[in-house]
Amino acid sequence: MAPQSRLAQYLLYDWLFQDVNQPEVFRRHAAIAHNKAHRRHLLTYMRRWTLLTTGLFLLGMGIETTGSNWCVVFYVLSVMAVSPTIRVFTAWWMMGRPGYW
């Protein structure tokens, strides 16, 4: 089910994938095939999170040159944005490996 917010659809990718923890074998393999087919969309989400991380960091650098302490907010947000970037990369990489079911 797609998220209601456009911002959530723009940044979060979980709504594209199906749960592979199905009790039936056929449904599990169908979910895995679906997830592998939608793996290509993860590159778009990885690019979005990378740009967001870089933009927040550069904004923090720009504010730091003015001598304001508000740069800390943007540095913290950029560090927090690194985690979803790594998560998206890991999901993309793991689904592409031959051992992924």
Side-chain angles (χ1 to χ4, degrees):
M1 187 162 116
Q4 299 298 323
S5 168
R6 288 283 184 193
L7 182 63
Q9 280 185 340
Y10 189 77
L11 290 176
L12 304 175
Y13 60 91
D14 294 342
W15 62 278
L16 285 171
F17 298 97
Q18 294 179 355
D19 185 17
V20 295
N21 295 324
Q22 302 288 333
E24 298 176 15
V25 176
F26 293 116
R27 287 189 181 193
R28 186 177 328 136
H29 286 290
I32 291 168
H34 173 83
N35 291 348
K36 282 185 176 184
H38 284 83
R39 173 182 177 253
R40 68 183 189 279
H41 297 297
L42 289 175
L43 293 174
T44 303
Y45 285 95
M46 193 180 344
R47 183 175 56 240
R48 289 175 183 169
W49 279 103
T50 303
L51 289 174
L52 182 65
T53 303
T54 306
L56 287 169
F57 185 77
L58 291 175
L59 191 60
M61 284 178 57
I63 293 174
E64 186 179 13
T65 59
T66 64
S68 176
N69 287 337
W70 280 97
C71 64
V72 174
V73 173
F74 294 103
Y75 284 142
V76 169
L77 289 175
S78 70
V79 169
M80 289 173 63
V82 169
S83 178
T85 308
I86 293 171
R87 184 175 170 220
V88 171
F89 172 76
T90 304
W92 174 79
W93 180 63
M94 292 297 284
M95 277 193 257
R97 293 180 61 202
Y100 180 74
W101 286 295

